Amino acid sequence: MSCVPYASVVGSLMYAMVCTRPDIAHAVGVLSRYMSKLGKEHWTTGKRVFRYLRGTTYHAICYQGRVGPYRVLDVHGFVDVDWDGELDHRRYTSGYVFNLFGGAISWMSKKQVVVALSTTKVEYLAATHASKEVVWL
């Protein structure tokens, strides 16, 4: 596995994720954790993400503004946590997405540095991170 361009693949996927494709944020985050411990399953998963991107080439983020005199700023946010997905270190992955008129304007998926002992604490910490982002927006 030393001759495969895994770092280049992950870098290309990160570029696509940051610029236009928030739907692959979690997959890219997981793939980037194995830069030094590359296995065949990681290479196969990277190729699977590229196949997904090729199959969804014509999907796009569309902003649907309202017409008429009652234009209201329509922002919706969603936050979620995966507490038991990381069995090695018991760290949780949290993520959020904020939509404006139906299209994503801000998103994040990140493995957190805090080790949480309860699901309630994990949910509160994720909501806190999302709240900071909505205040910035």
Side-chain angles (χ1 to χ4, degrees):
M1 295 302 310
S2 63
C3 62
V4 296
Y6 188 71
S8 178
V9 165
V10 173
S12 298
L13 290 172
M14 278 191 180
Y15 179 78
M17 174 196 69
V18 168
C19 295
T20 60
R21 298 300 299 257
D23 53 338
I24 63 170
H26 182 72
V28 173
V30 171
L31 286 174
S32 66
R33 294 178 195 166
Y34 298 98
M35 296 291 282
S36 62
K37 301 177 284 186
L38 174 63
K40 185 172 179 158
E41 63 274 4
H42 304 112
W43 178 248
T44 306
T45 304
K47 291 192 299 187
R48 184 178 298 153
V49 174
F50 273 117
R51 281 195 304 272
Y52 169 77
L53 290 174
R54 185 179 57 201
T56 57
T57 303
Y58 297 106
H59 293 183
I61 298 174
C62 296
Y63 300 101
Q64 300 149 357
R66 301 200 193 293
V67 294
Y70 302 107
R71 291 184 68 115
V72 178
L73 194 60
D74 190 20
V75 179
H76 294 277
F78 305 94
V79 61
D80 196 18
V81 177
D82 179 19
W83 187 50
D84 57 349
E86 175 65 38
L87 298 176
D88 297 333
H89 302 100
R90 301 306 287 174
R91 302 242 167 92
Y92 66 97
T93 302
S94 67
Y96 60 77
V97 61
F98 290 100
N99 297 331
L100 175 67
F101 296 121
I105 57 170
S106 178
W107 59 85
M108 187 269 313
S109 174
K110 180 180 177 185
K111 179 179 170 185
Q112 299 297 331
V113 296
V114 178
V115 176
L117 300 176
S118 72
T119 56
T120 305
K121 183 176 180 180
V122 170
E123 294 288 343
Y124 277 125
L125 289 172
T128 302
H129 286 292
S131 314
K132 288 189 242 180
E133 182 69 14
V134 79
V135 167
W136 183 82
L137 287 174

